[in-house]
């Protein structure tokens, strides 16, 4: 059981380049989330998808787009990367019963924008 | 005021010490309370969860919720160097698939 899988693990971009971060979960969860984590800032929610076909903005959505491709997959796209988007990005899934919406995290993608 | 406040530390303790990690919150609708542990360069992993008030124990870990004070705690007994990590509290209301609200995390170092 892989849980939440994120690709790539590391990425270096130049300012203005675009890229898509991929996330897939095999736990049949309804909800999926994208966070960024910066020193001293904690986890900040970028976008989330409460169910297949829906997406909502989180705390820091500017500069990002998302696609809930199907129940398993939720991608995060940076259209024109900026140095301020240098961060560690985590995908999470949750909401398939049990205590309300426990979230399970992937291993993260470390992104540097030069 | 942030919905969830957590002292970022760092907290450094000797091996074998009892550790107390805490969060305060402002939203009285929160009913589910969780603690995540995050090792360096890894994703957060769920450590414990509790519903409403009271205590929950799991081995060396005890989670405590005081809803009247809007205060939650995680106690670690007989702390080990392997407990060195960042601990994040998280909480949620009863309604729907809403995202968890996280504290910023407390970095703990247990020194052998």
């Amino acid at each position: 059981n892989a849980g939440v899988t994120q690709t790539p693990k590391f990425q270096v971009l130049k300012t203005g380049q675009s890229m898509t971060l991929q996330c897939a979960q095999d736990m049949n969860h309804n909800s999926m989330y994208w966070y960024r984590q910066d020193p001293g800032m904690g986890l900040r929610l970028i976008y989330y998808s409460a169910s297949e076909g829906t997406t909502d903005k989180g705390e820091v959505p500017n500069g990002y787009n998302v696609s809930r491709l199907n129940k398993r997959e939720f991608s995060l796209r940076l259209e024109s990367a900026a140095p301020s988007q240098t961060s560690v990005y985590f995908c999470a899934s949750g909401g398939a019963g049990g205590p309300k919406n426990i979230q399970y995290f992937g291993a993260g993608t470390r992104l540097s924008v030069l | 005021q942030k919905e969830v406040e957590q002292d970022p530390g760092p907290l450094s303790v000797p091996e074998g010490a009892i550790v107390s990690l805490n969060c305060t919150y402002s939203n009285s609708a929160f009913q589910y309370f969780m603690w995540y542990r995050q090792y360096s360069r890894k994703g957060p992993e769920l450590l414990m969860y509790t519903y409403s008030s009271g205590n929950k124990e799991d081995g060396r870990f005890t989670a405590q919720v005081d809803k009247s004070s809007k205060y939650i705690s995680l106690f670690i007994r007989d702390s080990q160097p392997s407990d060195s990590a960042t601990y994040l509290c998280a909480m949620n209301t009863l309604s729907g698939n809403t995202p968890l609200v996280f504290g910023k995390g407390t970095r703990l170092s247990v020194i052998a």
Side-chain angles (χ1 to χ4, degrees), chain A residues 16-20 63-65 77-81 85:
Chain A
Q17 287 186 316
S18 62
M19 79 161 295
T20 299
Y64 305 95
N65 287 302
R77 183 161 177 84
L78 286 71
E79 291 291 351
S80 179
Q85 294 177 305

Side-chain angles (χ1 to χ4, degrees), chain A residues 14-49:
Chain A
K14 294 181 180 178
T15 297
Q17 287 186 316
S18 62
M19 79 161 295
T20 299
L21 282 65
Q22 306 286 355
C23 177
Q25 53 96 3
D26 61 5
M27 294 177 283
N28 199 36
H29 286 163
N30 292 319
S31 303
M32 298 186 73
Y33 309 84
W34 277 105
Y35 293 87
R36 60 179 290 174
Q37 188 175 43
D38 304 288
M41 302 296 289
L43 287 167
R44 292 186 291 170
L45 183 65
I46 304 171
Y47 271 95
Y48 69 102
S49 171

